[in-house]
Amino acid sequence: MEERVLAILQGVRDDVDFEDETALIDDGILDSFDIISIVGDLNDEFDIEITADELEPENFNTLDAIVELVESLS
Amino acid sequence: MSLFTFDFIAFAGLLVLAYFVLPKRCQWVVLLIASFVFYAYGGVQGVIFILVTIVTQWLLALLLQRENDAMAKEAAEATGGAAEKREIRKRYAKKKRLFVWLSVLINLGILIFHKYANVFVEFWNDTFGAGLGGFDLIVPLGLSYYTFKSIGYVIDVYRGRVPAERNPLKLALFVSYFPALVQGPIDRYEHLAHQLVEPHRFDFIRFQYGVQRMFWGYIKKMVIADRIGIFVAEATGNYVEGGYVGFTVILGVALYAFELYADFSGGIDVVCGLSEIFGISLTENFRQPFFVASIAEYWQRWHISLGAWMRTYVFYPLSLSSAFTKLGRKVRKVFGDRAKRLAKVIAPALASFITFVLIGMWHGVGWKYVWWGLIMAIFVSCATLFEGLYAKGRALIHAEKWPVGVRIIQVVRTFVIIAMLRFITIAEDMDDLTAMLTAAFSTWNPEVFVDGSLLELGLSYPNFIVMIVGIAVLLFVDLLQERGIDWRVAIHNLNIVPRWAIYYLAILSLIIFGIYGSGYEAANFAYAVY
């Protein structure tokens, strides 16, 4: 799962080291357009529905948090 | 009560005393009473509206909580797995949305009524020749700030993110906390509410930092912003025939960008500093907004709490709504893989147009605010849509070999865009804007920078120098922050002599260089009218 999520993240932003960053949102590394792109790809790839309710910094600040979010909705 | 009166300073001083002298369990009650005293000081009419907001949001949030609890219970008892739980959530969501819509309609209704009722009457009279009388309205203090804050709270309860507050007085404090009433910040419930009701011990270091920040806010507003304001009002207020032209107007508009920043962030520093003394950390509203490389980045650093509110409660829900996601799929279907990027960007781009127009309309009534929002959205959307093109451009000029130079160019470019968009903010209406742009760009007169004519716009030579030094200090402090240096910690760590030299310099500069209006009141805050 983690590799698939990582591939999606790198597909949207290949200039970010997703494995080491710990504040993707809080530090402004990902902007809101990136988030929408990532959510669209995650929804398609895992056949889930991430809603606006889940778009909070703590769910997108790290790769682990994103993986956890996807797992909770799968 | 303006933050820049002796009344306010006396009020704040007494409040700090009462806050720390009375038993800790009373602290939040002290803040609540102070908030209502502060509020009533501006007129009793406003109190009625804020009470309507407090009562409706308290009740609706409790109703939402009841639904949340029932939903959780039913989901816990369900045996059909994830699909059944999804079904339960959907069923409850329908009813819950009704409460959210009620909250939005009532509270946004009050806001829209105050902003648009007279505009509507005027429009009706102009169109149909009717003679309807206008409303005698006084916009309640901080109306849009507390409305947004409280709607955010109700939506967060709807989402199950925070539990509803059962004590109406505690919710009243969250909505009406007076430092954040004047011009924000628009804090989220989960960040602010618990801090307001927790007991706080007196902490001398925190007190010192709080006072320093308040002081810096006073200097920003009274020494820098109000001084720039004299020049700006003259340079940008007289551009009709025979008035100022060319670089005089352009400089006035560019300086307005600094005036607004010093004004708005100065006020925020005062309220954040005061809150810090109480042990309450308000959300930061600015992060060096002039050191940004793009408009999108600017919106992550300017009026952060409004941007965050709009992103959380308008932009994301719109972007992910089924209508918008369907649109993206349709683009992909019609144009194929060639339009892959467009298909991805179309939904958020459209959502950003709506969001920025709403931000524009939040600032005021009139087409100019709509245009301002549209232009902001164009810049933000284009940056994403044409990212590939920009990357090619950067490769062409080997941008990776001179990153600092590229960053400086981007920062200057962004400042020019931000400052030029201030033409729209300053102009009264669209006709005024055309006249102003014509005056500014129809004449080439760089000689104004050397012939002394800029010194005839209300600021004498010494005052002009103080203004320039003020802006330089403002940018220097921002540069320190940008490099991760907290100036207050740096001052705290200095030896007693240089530390007190700075304090005396700050006190003297405020006394000598502060712009005091009639009755020793500084000019009103630009952002206190929203």
Side-chain angles (χ1 to χ4, degrees):
Chain A
M1 159 101 57
E2 191 172 315
E3 289 80 31
R4 283 162 75 194
V5 172
L6 186 61
I8 285 173
L9 296 175
Q10 285 167 337
V12 175
R13 286 287 299 274
D14 58 4
D15 58 330
V16 176
D17 182 2
F18 286 100
E19 281 162 296
D20 285 338
E21 291 291 351
T22 56
L24 290 164
I25 307 299
D26 292 341
D27 285 353
I29 297 164
L30 294 181
D31 66 26
S32 47
F33 275 58
D34 295 331
I35 298 291
I36 297 298
S37 276
I38 290 167
V39 167
D41 289 350
L42 290 173
N43 283 347
D44 291 345
E45 174 76 16
F46 297 100
D47 194 24
I48 53 175
E49 193 192 343
I50 299 174
T51 65
D53 301 4
E54 277 99 25
L55 298 195
E56 295 290 349
E58 69 269 17
N59 287 336
F60 286 87
N61 263 334
T62 62
L63 172 63
D64 286 347
I66 302 171
V67 171
E68 209 173 295
L69 173 70
V70 172
E71 278 171 347
S72 73
L73 295 169
S74 300
Chain B
M1 195 188 309
S2 159
L3 300 185
F4 294 89
T5 53
F6 289 123
D7 286 1
F8 177 77
I9 293 169
F11 174 76
L14 281 175
L15 180 60
V16 171
L17 201 68
Y19 190 79
F20 289 112
V21 168
L22 289 171
K24 285 194 184 63
R25 64 175 190 281
C26 300
Q27 285 179 325
W28 71 271
V29 183
V30 171
L31 287 183
L32 180 64
I33 293 169
S35 295
F36 272 84
V37 168
F38 181 87
Y39 208 81
Y41 200 87
V44 182
Q45 193 193 346
V47 179
I48 298 167
F49 287 105
I50 202 169
L51 282 176
V52 170
T53 296
I54 291 165
V55 172
T56 54
Q57 305 296 51
W58 172 69
L59 266 175
L60 288 165
L62 281 181
L63 288 170
L64 278 167
Q65 187 63 52
R66 203 178 60 179
E67 295 302 316
N68 282 346
D69 293 344
M71 182 177 78
K73 192 167 172 242
E74 210 173 305
E77 287 164 0
T79 48
E84 192 187 348
K85 282 181 182 163
R86 253 201 305 275
E87 200 48 51
I88 293 169
R89 262 207 301 273
K90 263 189 188 163
R91 185 154 39 82
Y92 275 92
K94 226 175 174 179
K95 197 170 171 190
K96 280 164 56 182
R97 272 193 210 119
L98 191 76
F99 297 134
V100 174
W101 277 114
L102 254 173
S103 153
V104 172
L105 276 177
I106 295 169
N107 292 288
L108 221 50
I110 295 174
L111 178 64
I112 292 170
F113 175 75
H114 277 93
K115 286 207 167 192
Y116 286 90
N118 281 327
V119 179
F120 181 75
V121 168
E122 206 176 299
F123 169 78
W124 191 267
N125 287 347
D126 287 351
T127 314
F128 301 106
L132 294 179
F135 295 92
D136 189 15
L137 292 175
I138 301 166
V139 180
L141 176 69
L143 175 63
S144 56
Y145 297 105
Y146 74 69
T147 302
F148 276 32
K149 211 159 82 164
S150 68
I151 289 177
Y153 159 68
V154 169
I155 297 176
D156 283 350
V157 174
Y158 161 83
R159 291 176 173 179
R161 195 170 169 79
V162 295
E165 173 58 64
R166 294 188 184 279
N167 186 336
L169 295 178
K170 285 186 177 171
L171 185 69
L173 178 58
F174 167 70
V175 175
S176 68
Y177 179 58
F178 78 93
L181 268 183
V182 186
Q183 47 181 358
I186 307 165
D187 247 300
R188 276 185 92 165
Y189 181 81
E190 65 193 43
H191 176 251
L192 181 61
H194 66 94
Q195 295 189 67
L196 294 174
V197 295
E198 279 163 3
H200 296 280
R201 295 164 67 97
F202 180 78
D203 181 306
F204 185 69
I205 299 281
R206 211 174 55 207
F207 175 78
Q208 191 183 327
Y209 284 170
V211 172
Q212 282 176 0
R213 188 156 182 192
M214 286 177 80
F215 222 89
W216 176 225
Y218 284 122
I219 290 177
K220 270 178 171 175
K221 166 73 176 158
M222 295 169 83
V223 178
I224 306 173
D226 288 355
R227 180 166 273 99
I228 305 174
I230 296 171
F231 182 93
V232 170
E234 181 68 17
T236 63
N238 299 286
Y239 45 85
V240 283
E241 242 174 287
Y244 302 116
V245 290
F247 281 110
T248 308
V249 180
I250 294 172
L251 182 67
V253 173
L255 283 176
Y256 180 63
F258 288 109
E259 182 198 345
L260 208 55
Y261 176 47
D263 179 287
F264 192 8
S265 70
I268 291 292
D269 283 335
V270 171
V271 298
C272 284
L274 178 59
S275 298
E276 199 171 344
I277 294 173
F278 297 134
I280 294 161
S281 139
L282 293 178
T283 198
E284 289 299 334
N285 227 12
F286 296 95
R287 204 158 47 86
Q288 300 84 260
F290 290 142
F291 297 142
V292 294
S294 68
I295 301 290
E297 202 185 338
Y298 173 76
W299 278 103
Q300 290 173 3
R301 289 167 172 242
W302 171 272
H303 208 169
I304 297 170
S305 64
L306 176 69
W309 194 95
M310 285 287 181
R311 196 165 48 245
T312 309
Y313 303 114
V314 180
F315 175 80
Y316 283 149
L318 270 180
S319 299
L320 295 180
S321 65
S322 60
F324 277 56
T325 36
K326 266 181 205 157
L327 186 71
R329 291 208 179 97
K330 202 161 188 178
V331 168
R332 184 94 181 252
K333 209 169 158 188
V334 174
F335 297 102
D337 268 1
R338 281 171 306 151
K340 202 171 150 189
R341 177 128 198 102
L342 178 68
K344 266 195 168 172
V345 171
I346 189 102
L350 209 58
S352 85
F353 272 82
I354 295 170
T355 308
F356 273 111
V357 167
L358 287 176
I359 292 177
M361 288 165 73
W362 179 88
H363 282 87
V365 177
W367 282 106
K368 67 167 191 164
Y369 291 105
V370 175
W371 281 109
W372 177 89
L374 286 174
I375 295 170
M376 281 290 179
I378 287 170
F379 278 117
V380 171
S381 303
C382 284
T384 309
L385 192 57
F386 301 122
E387 174 49 33
L389 214 62
Y390 294 153
K392 276 182 195 161
R394 284 197 296 272
L396 206 68
I397 58 165
H398 300 289
E400 73 283 356
K401 286 184 184 163
W402 44 298
V404 178
V406 171
R407 177 85 188 175
I408 290 172
I409 293 171
Q410 288 173 329
V411 166
V412 172
R413 175 202 61 188
T414 311
F415 176 76
V416 170
I417 296 170
I418 300 290
M420 290 307 105
L421 281 173
R422 290 289 169 214
F423 268 101
I424 304 178
T425 328
I426 295 172
E428 290 275 319
D429 51 35
M430 294 308 281
D431 289 341
D432 212 31
L433 177 63
T434 316
M436 207 169 156
L437 287 170
T438 312
F441 294 103
S442 61
T443 310
W444 175 256
N445 58 348
E447 68 276 6
V448 296
F449 291 109
V450 287
D451 66 6
S453 55
L454 294 179
L455 299 176
E456 288 160 17
L457 278 81
L459 287 185
S460 61
Y461 182 69
N463 264 309
F464 206 88
I465 297 295
V466 173
M467 176 181 79
I468 291 170
V469 171
I471 293 172
V473 172
L474 182 70
L475 291 177
F476 175 70
V477 171
D478 269 13
L479 190 66
L480 288 180
Q481 309 260 64
E482 187 70 7
R483 299 193 158 196
I485 302 166
D486 187 330
W487 60 272
R488 294 183 297 170
V489 176
I491 291 176
H492 177 75
N493 291 338
L494 284 174
N495 282 329
I496 188 161
V497 177
R499 190 167 74 234
W500 275 94
I502 292 175
Y503 290 163
Y504 278 124
L505 205 66
I507 294 167
L508 282 176
S509 74
L510 189 60
I511 294 170
I512 299 170
F513 301 127
I515 304 281
Y516 300 93
S518 58
Y520 294 97
E521 279 188 30
N524 286 334
F525 279 119
Y527 270 74
V529 295
Y530 300 122

